[in-house]
Amino acid sequence: MINVTKTYLPDPEKYKSYVDRIFSSGWVTNNGQFVQELEKRLCEYLGVENLLLISNGTLALQVAYRALGISGEAITTPFSFVATASSLVWEGIQPVFADINPDSLNIAPEKIESLINNNTSAIVPVHVFGNACEIDAIERIAQNHNLKTIYDAAHAFGVHYKGKSILNYGDASILSFHGTKVFHTIEGGAIIFKDKKHLDAARLMINFGIPGYDQVSDLGINCKMNEFQAAMGLCVLDDMEFIHNSRKNVWEKYTDSFKSFRSVSLQKQNESSSLNYSYFPVILDSEDLLFKLRDALLQKDISPRRYFFPSLEQLPYVKSGQQVPVSASIAERILCLPIYPDLEPSVQDSIIETVSKIISTYG
Ligand SMILES: *Cc1c(COP(=O)(O)O)cnc(C)c1O
């Protein structure tokens, strides 16, 4: 089966050499040498300061909300992976959904302001599929209303916006290093804070609020990254150029093939930002066409995925009662096609051919 993504695995001998060093030191977690090394190397690679490694991206979101003192309501996008909204609910924060722009698929800044009230404390935008949000407009709104911004940058590893890392905007950004993401540590994530004092608070939080022996100074949780995760990250980081270039080839071939198709539209990329080629979504004219395409691909053992479905205002536990028609409509008609470094050209040709056939027959 060809899946929508395939975890990039580095040279096993290299990973084993890290594992050997973990075994000989006997130190498996608690801010070990590889976690420290990965934090340092990621800061350099990404061009950021104040980066904290976390056991996964969802807890990175939750710890970021806590460290920044978010409560009440947060305005976010309905078009994202479920963790963007569920992490808010889990922290007792009500997600309020601003509809998206149908071209960029990101939160529409002009839909945010009317949703702000006295309970609003934050905006939680997502750089969906690695495509930069309208950051300047969002930051202006946040400043005018004294709100914090936490960017869910789970898809935006390595993306630059206006010449610097996209992770340097807002009060915090989070990354996910899950095995399905562009860069991974098996499971993992990170928070990048603007302000060092929030980093220090979060560092304490992820280790039970324990600053040292015989002390507990604050409420905390346990979501530290361990040494085996960090070792995977150090190996994968060495190969980022290969990963980036091979994804770029796949991405460009899809784009060239589909750009003349009626009945298929592609996400419009922010012109101020670089791309990381993390996903390849196609937006179809109808859900019916989506089902026809998915069935045709499944018959060839190719499994595309409905990212993201359903639109998050429809989650049973959110009880939003909100209507966000653009997101609801896009969520019904969008399908992500397989993209990963070693996707075979013949398989990609077959995917493109299938899309072409279905579109010309039913589109
Ligand atoms: C993957 C993802 C997350 C969650 O990250 P995990 O590391 O899987 O917990 C959060 N937000 C978005 C947009 C994601 O795609």
Side-chain angles (χ1 to χ4, degrees), residues 170-216:
D171 296 286
S173 292
I174 73 93
L175 292 167
S176 165
F177 302 151
H178 184 258
T180 53
K181 305 297 207 276
V182 166
F183 166 81
H184 80 95
T185 60
I186 310 170
E187 293 267 5
I191 316 172
I192 297 90
F193 289 104
K194 180 198 278 174
D195 195 330
K196 170 110 177 7
K197 78 167 189 253
H198 295 128
L199 172 80
D200 294 340
R203 203 180 278 288
L204 194 56
M205 273 178 199
I206 69 167
N207 189 36
F208 313 98
I210 296 178
Y213 292 135
D214 305 330
Q215 287 175 289
V216 182

Side-chain angles (χ1 to χ4, degrees), residues 106-313:
N106 284 326
I107 193 167
E110 69 276 11
K111 304 273 173 65
I112 294 176
E113 215 144 18
S114 64
L115 300 170
I116 297 173
N117 63 43
N118 289 336
N119 285 325
T120 312
S121 58
I123 308 174
V124 181
V126 181
H127 305 300
V128 173
F129 305 131
N131 188 29
C133 288
E134 291 175 61
I135 291 174
D136 298 339
I138 293 168
E139 289 301 311
R140 217 174 302 123
I141 295 165
Q143 260 166 27
N144 288 344
H145 296 271
N146 201 18
L147 305 176
K148 297 273 195 282
T149 45
I150 297 112
Y151 288 91
D152 180 340
H155 303 167
F157 187 87
V159 171
H160 282 67
Y161 179 78
K162 298 197 168 165
K164 65 176 186 180
S165 170
I166 197 164
L167 307 168
N168 283 321
Y169 295 87
D171 296 286
S173 292
I174 73 93
L175 292 167
S176 165
F177 302 151
H178 184 258
T180 53
K181 305 297 207 276
V182 166
F183 166 81
H184 80 95
T185 60
I186 310 170
E187 293 267 5
I191 316 172
I192 297 90
F193 289 104
K194 180 198 278 174
D195 195 330
K196 170 110 177 7
K197 78 167 189 253
H198 295 128
L199 172 80
D200 294 340
R203 203 180 278 288
L204 194 56
M205 273 178 199
I206 69 167
N207 189 36
F208 313 98
I210 296 178
Y213 292 135
D214 305 330
Q215 287 175 289
V216 182
S217 61
D218 276 293
L219 177 64
I221 189 157
N222 176 14
C223 53
K224 303 181 294 292
M225 181 175 280
N226 69 51
E227 290 292 276
F228 294 88
Q229 291 172 291
M232 179 60 77
L234 289 166
C235 293
V236 176
L237 196 57
D238 284 342
D239 298 341
M240 279 319 291
E241 193 176 325
F242 167 76
I243 293 170
H244 180 86
N245 292 338
S246 359
R247 284 179 163 277
K248 181 171 192 269
N249 289 338
V250 175
W251 195 93
E252 285 177 347
K253 186 164 165 183
Y254 276 139
T255 302
D256 287 344
S257 309
F258 296 148
K259 73 185 166 211
S260 61
F261 284 18
R262 256 185 337 104
S263 321
V264 176
S265 35
L266 305 180
Q267 183 182 29
K268 187 162 182 288
Q269 305 297 325
N270 188 322
E271 282 169 8
S272 302
S273 101
S274 65
L275 309 178
N276 70 356
Y277 311 104
S278 44
Y279 296 85
F280 202 89
V282 291
I283 305 159
L284 303 156
D285 279 355
S286 68
E287 191 175 33
D288 185 51
L289 197 54
L290 179 146
F291 289 141
K292 289 199 164 77
L293 176 57
R294 185 174 64 172
D295 290 347
L297 289 168
L298 283 171
Q299 268 177 20
K300 297 188 166 179
D301 282 341
I302 294 163
S303 176
R305 286 292 294 275
R306 299 188 78 179
Y307 291 154
F308 296 102
F309 184 84
S311 185
L312 299 177
E313 82 286 359

